[in-house]
Amino acid sequence: MPETLKLQINFSGGAELLFDKIKKHNIELPSVRKYLPDSKAEKWTIRELLVWIKGNLLKERPELFLQGDSVRPGILVLINDADWELFGELEYELQQNDNIMFISTLHGG
Amino acid sequence: MPETLKLQINFSGGAELLFDKIKKHNIELPSVRKYLPDSKAEKWTIRELLVWIKGNLLKERPELFLQGDSVRPGILVLINDADWELFGELEYELQQNDNIMFISTLHGG
Amino acid sequence: GTETKGTLPKWAIERYSRQILVPEIGVKGQEKLMRGRVLIVGAGGLGCPAGVYLAGAGVGELGLVDYDAVDITNIHRQFLHGEKMQNISKADSAARSLRSINSRIKITAHNIQLSASNALEIASRYDVILDCSDNVPTRYLLNDVSVLTKIPLISGSALKMEGQLTIYGYREVDDKKKEPYTGPCYRCLFPSPPPPEAVGSCSANGVSGPVPGTIGCLQALEAIKLLVGRNRESLLVQRMLIFDGDDMTFRTVKLRSRNDRCAACSDNATLTELIDYEALCSMPANDKELDLHIL
Amino acid sequence: GTETKGTLPKWAIERYSRQILVPEIGVKGQEKLMRGRVLIVGAGGLGCPAGVYLAGAGVGELGLVDYDAVDITNIHRQFLHGEKMQNISKADSAARSLRSINSRIKITAHNIQLSASNALEIASRYDVILDCSDNVPTRYLLNDVSVLTKIPLISGSALKMEGQLTIYGYREVDDKKKEPYTGPCYRCLFPSPPPPEAVGSCSANGVSGPVPGTIGCLQALEAIKLLVGRNRESLLVQRMLIFDGDDMTFRTVKLRSRNDRCAACSDNATLTELIDYEALCSMPANDKELDLHIL
Ligand SMILES: [Zn+2]
Ligand SMILES: [Zn+2]
């Protein structure tokens, strides 16, 4: 297994406004023990990814993206085009080349 | 490499009418030397696949699907969601788990 | 003429021939459409295209709910309202336009603000609800109406260049099984409303007309498929369509099953009647935004 | 009022505010839309939704071409024609409906059968062509018109529960490069017409109204994006949208580049003028099918 974990992160439905209006981000994560030496995490899960996103991608108003250690209500998280609820939500262990999508639900019409 | 080649074959835009109205077919090809012993083919290409489709899937009026050794005008062939022209058309060598789509173009409105 | 094919009169065979020819519809499907009753909540950017195709298809009864009046800023996307309909009730204006398209069907304009006090009574007269609304409280209200009445909810939304579509509260009718399949509801996915400051609206953030146009067309298509009895593999049940008009990409993503802790639809549900949705969401049940400072 | 923001009058800022707010459009985009001229060929299942959103968006000039009259079997999907418009010219009927939506734009009804003898003259007055036609000869005709006039062609089609959409003949305007990018034309993909017996039509095979509805909306969206100057990565250039309404799947597939042996658009092209497209395709340039034996 390579040292770094490559992921594609997508934001849409307005969530991208908090990320410099950029919808697609190709990221490369270092080893989780290097990045979070004080945590007990051995592998990257969505939980640690949210910490990384907050520290590295999120440009403004984190309360519009995060709430506690999860995403705020109204954001749907998709792992390779499927609801994260099907994969354990925060506990899902990220795999090489995963596509993780954060979709703010729309209410307009 | 396994003995057989698994492919997903899709028909749409009306082409499925020649195939029992079934749009999605999961097929498994034997070794090309077994299936076409008289041919010089060493590997499955789209050219041999068309022969196989004619013998195994095509239910009626082959002239509405084939013309000579290729597909008839007005059918677009896609290899993993990209135009077969980008991959050498008939000469493309099929890979395990390829998705091959035959789309009859529509003219209505 | 009183000649019929099955129970279809000859005029219907002719008039609807182009869709009767579609194998997924057929004569039987047309009969079901003509017995079908669809409630469209919101006669705006989604409700106009949805309404026009359901009226065209000959759905027996259409209800249109809207409390609002036609405004000049609506017309770019809400095409059932001509320029001359400004300040007229949107429900009335849309009903009038739909009647000119199909005089054979029943069209009812519900010229009211849908709320906890009237929604169940209105919805119970219909077989399918289309959520073509434009605000969060109405979306929670319609979800709970759908759960309490067991009427499926075809939920569309659009903003800027993006759209979303799925079916909530779908129930499979199957007498043989003890527990027929039920799809997730809106609250299964979104147990809590979003913070108000995170909610965009067409009046504050804008929308390109063909985006709700596309989603509204697809809501009509799902309603037609649902009425003619297409199964859940065909329908957007437990799947959501995510549309980005700027790069013209569509994703159909897989959603969770019904949440067995859902406050609305699970066996452990606490919801027994409609509540105050403006209070639940800390937002008004409309899409009014007068501050065009961005311009 | 004569107050303006840039070159936009105050009435336009207000009326089009909801789409001006969309970042991809903006004030500059609205100005371009109001200077834009779009020719819609076919006032049917695709042309109605396309026309309604382009009129709504305030595109400066719309042309509508149709030789046909409104028939009762059209109305389920061709919503610009009310029941009372039966036997009236479709181009006139559609133009009348669009004028009621937007009196600020110029709308021209071209009540004719488009052919080799009139197509170049008509098309040359527009910036974009929408192929909303319903037959093979007209599709080849419009392609060659697009190539000869260098006007991009937004080509939609629909049948039964399926639809397709792409842009042919797109040209990137870039003075700095010697050879600006040109996308493929219809003949790059389809050098020869299909055998007539393999061609389906809405009158013989049917169509569900929201399917051309969806594709027509998306044609309007691509026209808006093209007029406001979105780049080719955003547009359906060298990409085709394949829509299956029965299972609600969308694929955006990658197409070939311009074919350097194309008879129409390549450097080695043999096409210098329009030809007889009914002869080329061995088919009439209409979609008439009286034999409803399938029913
Ligand atoms: Zn629920
Ligand atoms: Zn060409």
Side-chain angles (χ1 to χ4, degrees):
Chain A
M1 195 173 163
E3 189 62 15
T4 62
L5 190 59
K6 290 184 190 178
L7 306 175
Q8 190 176 69
I9 310 288
N10 290 43
F11 301 100
S12 81
E16 74 281 4
L17 296 178
L18 306 171
F19 298 88
D20 255 353
K21 300 179 187 170
I22 298 170
K23 290 187 169 183
K24 285 180 199 168
H25 301 252
N26 290 300
I27 67 166
E28 215 163 310
L29 297 177
S31 122
V32 73
R33 270 176 285 191
K34 269 191 207 157
Y35 187 72
L36 295 171
D38 301 337
S39 121
K40 288 174 192 159
E42 298 275 323
K43 309 252 183 174
W44 281 102
T45 67
I46 301 275
R47 188 188 305 278
E48 288 80 35
L49 176 65
L50 292 179
V51 176
W52 187 91
I53 286 175
K54 187 177 178 185
N56 292 271
L57 292 182
L58 192 54
K59 298 295 177 181
E60 48 185 310
R61 305 188 70 185
E63 74 280 8
L64 295 188
F65 186 67
L66 299 168
Q67 189 175 95
D69 64 350
S70 191
V71 294
R72 64 133 173 106
I75 289 182
L76 193 61
V77 184
L78 300 170
I79 299 168
N80 301 321
D81 282 346
D83 194 333
W84 72 333
E85 198 265 357
L86 301 165
F87 300 103
E89 303 195 353
L90 288 171
E91 316 303 332
Y92 171 75
E93 191 184 300
L94 292 163
Q95 306 294 311
Q96 201 64 250
N97 300 316
D98 272 350
N99 177 297
I100 312 294
M101 198 163 179
F102 298 91
I103 300 176
S104 189
T105 48
L106 306 177
H107 310 90
Chain B
M1 198 174 160
E3 188 63 16
T4 61
L5 190 59
K6 290 183 189 176
L7 306 175
Q8 190 176 68
I9 310 288
N10 291 44
F11 301 101
S12 82
E16 73 281 4
L17 297 177
L18 307 170
F19 298 88
D20 256 355
K21 300 179 186 169
I22 298 171
K23 290 188 169 183
K24 284 181 200 171
H25 302 252
N26 290 300
I27 68 166
E28 216 162 307
L29 298 177
S31 119
V32 73
R33 270 175 285 191
K34 272 191 205 155
Y35 186 72
L36 295 171
D38 300 338
S39 121
K40 289 174 192 159
E42 298 274 325
K43 309 254 184 172
W44 281 102
T45 67
I46 301 275
R47 188 188 306 278
E48 287 80 35
L49 176 65
L50 292 178
V51 176
W52 187 91
I53 286 174
K54 187 178 179 184
N56 293 272
L57 292 182
L58 192 55
K59 299 295 177 180
E60 48 186 309
R61 304 190 68 188
E63 75 279 10
L64 295 188
F65 186 67
L66 299 168
Q67 190 176 95
D69 64 350
S70 191
V71 295
R72 62 128 173 110
I75 289 182
L76 193 61
V77 184
L78 300 171
I79 298 168
N80 302 320
D81 282 346
D83 193 334
W84 72 333
E85 198 264 358
L86 300 166
F87 301 103
E89 303 195 356
L90 289 170
E91 317 303 334
Y92 171 76
E93 190 184 302
L94 293 163
Q95 306 295 313
Q96 200 65 249
N97 300 316
D98 272 350
N99 178 296
I100 312 294
M101 196 162 181
F102 298 91
I103 300 175
S104 189
T105 48
L106 306 177
H107 309 90
Chain C
T2 54
E3 194 186 324
T4 60
K5 180 98 178 187
T7 65
L8 278 190
K10 196 181 170 190
W11 69 262
I13 295 270
E14 186 194 4
R15 174 168 185 147
Y16 303 120
S17 59
R18 298 303 181 267
Q19 75 192 26
I20 292 173
L21 282 165
V22 176
E24 290 84 355
I25 300 177
V27 169
K28 289 262 172 281
Q30 187 63 45
E31 289 169 6
K32 290 178 187 166
L33 290 175
M34 290 167 73
R35 285 194 304 267
R37 301 167 302 170
V38 178
L39 182 65
I40 300 172
V41 180
L46 299 162
C48 287
V52 98
Y53 287 106
L54 294 175
V59 169
E61 233 182 290
L62 293 180
L64 295 157
V65 182
D66 212 307
Y67 66 91
D68 207 2
V70 177
D71 182 88
I72 187 69
T73 62
N74 301 146
I75 296 175
H76 81 109
R77 67 189 189 280
Q78 303 181 16
F79 60 80
L80 291 175
H81 317 304
E83 285 174 345
K84 291 198 176 140
M85 303 307 278
Q86 282 176 69
N87 307 316
I88 306 281
S89 141
K90 279 192 192 179
D92 289 335
S93 162
R96 200 167 120 179
S97 294
L98 294 181
R99 283 188 195 109
S100 75
I101 288 170
N102 200 340
S103 61
R104 299 273 191 176
I105 64 174
K106 182 178 171 188
I107 299 171
T108 308
H110 300 282
N111 190 5
I112 49 159
Q113 168 82 268
L114 210 65
S115 72
S117 65
N118 57 30
L120 289 174
E121 196 272 315
I122 293 173
S124 61
R125 299 180 232 162
Y126 297 90
D127 306 310
V128 185
I129 304 170
L130 263 54
D131 187 344
C132 300
S133 73
D134 59 5
N135 63 80
V136 183
T138 303
R139 293 186 179 273
Y140 277 90
L141 165 65
L142 288 176
N143 181 67
D144 292 357
V145 167
S146 159
V147 170
L148 292 172
T149 58
K150 303 187 179 175
I151 300 171
L153 179 66
I154 302 179
S155 176
S157 57
L159 192 69
K160 296 195 287 186
M161 297 290 261
E162 296 183 304
Q164 297 170 359
L165 172 63
T166 188
I167 304 181
Y168 294 115
Y170 173 82
R171 287 158 186 272
E172 202 150 73
V173 184
D174 188 348
D175 294 331
K176 284 167 225 156
K177 290 183 197 162
K178 276 256 165 82
E179 192 151 6
Y181 171 86
T182 302
C185 85
Y186 189 60
R187 291 207 200 213
C188 289
L189 270 80
F190 306 109
S192 314
E197 61 276 25
V199 174
S201 73
C202 295
S203 45
N205 303 84
V207 65
S208 179
V211 174
T214 302
I215 299 294
C217 286
L218 297 173
Q219 284 181 283
L221 185 57
E222 289 304 272
I224 289 171
K225 286 161 58 187
L226 208 153
L227 288 171
V228 305
R230 297 300 292 158
N231 65 22
R232 79 176 132 109
E233 280 69 37
S234 282
L235 296 164
L236 279 176
V237 170
Q238 236 184 294
R239 291 190 294 149
M240 184 184 279
L241 179 71
I242 314 272
F243 167 46
D244 190 330
D246 185 48
D247 61 2
M248 204 50 97
T249 52
F250 293 83
R251 286 171 186 241
T252 317
V253 304
K254 194 178 170 191
L255 297 181
R256 65 194 69 180
S257 329
R258 189 156 64 120
N259 181 342
D260 55 20
R261 289 156 304 162
C262 178
C265 77
S266 72
D267 295 336
N268 310 309
T270 53
L271 181 86
T272 54
E273 55 179 12
L274 300 179
I275 59 171
D276 180 341
Y277 294 91
E278 296 193 320
L280 173 73
C281 303
S282 315
M283 276 173 268
N286 64 44
D287 167 28
K288 297 293 181 197
E289 171 71 46
L290 298 172
D291 182 13
L292 291 179
H293 60 88
I294 306 176
L295 294 175
Chain D
T2 54
E3 195 186 325
T4 59
K5 180 98 179 184
T7 66
L8 278 190
K10 194 178 171 193
W11 69 261
I13 295 270
E14 184 192 5
R15 174 168 186 149
Y16 303 120
S17 58
R18 297 304 182 265
Q19 75 192 24
I20 292 173
L21 282 166
V22 176
E24 290 84 355
I25 300 177
V27 169
K28 288 263 172 279
Q30 188 62 43
E31 289 170 3
K32 290 178 187 166
L33 290 174
M34 291 168 73
R35 284 195 302 267
R37 301 168 302 170
V38 178
L39 182 66
I40 300 172
V41 180
L46 299 163
C48 288
V52 98
Y53 287 106
L54 294 175
V59 169
E61 231 181 293
L62 293 180
L64 294 157
V65 182
D66 213 305
Y67 65 92
D68 207 1
V70 177
D71 182 85
I72 188 69
T73 62
N74 301 147
I75 295 175
H76 82 108
R77 67 188 189 282
Q78 304 179 16
F79 61 80
L80 291 176
H81 317 304
E83 285 175 344
K84 292 198 174 141
M85 303 307 278
Q86 282 175 71
N87 306 316
I88 305 282
S89 141
K90 280 192 192 179
D92 289 335
S93 162
R96 200 167 119 178
S97 294
L98 293 182
R99 282 187 196 110
S100 76
I101 288 170
N102 201 340
S103 62
R104 299 273 191 176
I105 63 174
K106 182 177 171 190
I107 300 172
T108 308
H110 299 282
N111 190 8
I112 49 158
Q113 169 80 268
L114 210 64
S115 73
S117 64
N118 57 30
L120 289 174
E121 196 272 314
I122 292 174
S124 61
R125 298 181 232 161
Y126 297 90
D127 306 309
V128 185
I129 304 171
L130 262 55
D131 186 345
C132 300
S133 74
D134 60 6
N135 63 81
V136 184
T138 302
R139 292 184 181 275
Y140 277 91
L141 165 65
L142 287 177
N143 181 67
D144 292 358
V145 167
S146 159
V147 170
L148 291 173
T149 59
K150 303 187 179 175
I151 300 171
L153 180 65
I154 302 179
S155 176
S157 58
L159 193 69
K160 296 197 287 187
M161 297 289 259
E162 295 183 306
Q164 296 170 358
L165 172 63
T166 189
I167 303 181
Y168 294 115
Y170 173 81
R171 285 158 189 270
E172 203 149 73
V173 184
D174 189 348
D175 294 331
K176 285 167 226 156
K177 289 182 198 164
K178 275 255 166 83
E179 193 151 5
Y181 171 86
T182 303
C185 85
Y186 190 60
R187 291 208 199 213
C188 289
L189 270 79
F190 306 109
S192 314
E197 61 274 25
V199 174
S201 72
C202 294
S203 47
N205 303 84
V207 66
S208 179
V211 175
T214 302
I215 300 294
C217 286
L218 296 174
Q219 284 181 282
L221 185 58
E222 289 303 270
I224 289 171
K225 286 162 57 187
L226 208 153
L227 287 172
V228 305
R230 298 299 292 157
N231 65 22
R232 77 176 133 110
E233 280 69 37
S234 281
L235 297 163
L236 280 175
V237 170
Q238 236 185 293
R239 291 190 294 149
M240 184 184 279
L241 180 72
I242 314 273
F243 168 48
D244 189 330
D246 185 48
D247 60 3
M248 203 53 92
T249 52
F250 292 83
R251 286 172 187 241
T252 317
V253 304
K254 194 177 170 191
L255 296 181
R256 66 195 67 181
S257 330
R258 189 157 65 122
N259 181 341
D260 56 19
R261 288 155 306 163
C262 176
C265 77
S266 71
D267 294 336
N268 309 309
T270 52
L271 181 87
T272 54
E273 55 179 10
L274 301 179
I275 59 170
D276 180 341
Y277 294 91
E278 296 194 319
L280 172 72
C281 303
S282 312
M283 278 173 268
N286 63 45
D287 167 31
K288 299 294 183 194
E289 171 71 45
L290 298 171
D291 181 12
L292 291 178
H293 60 88
I294 306 174
L295 294 174

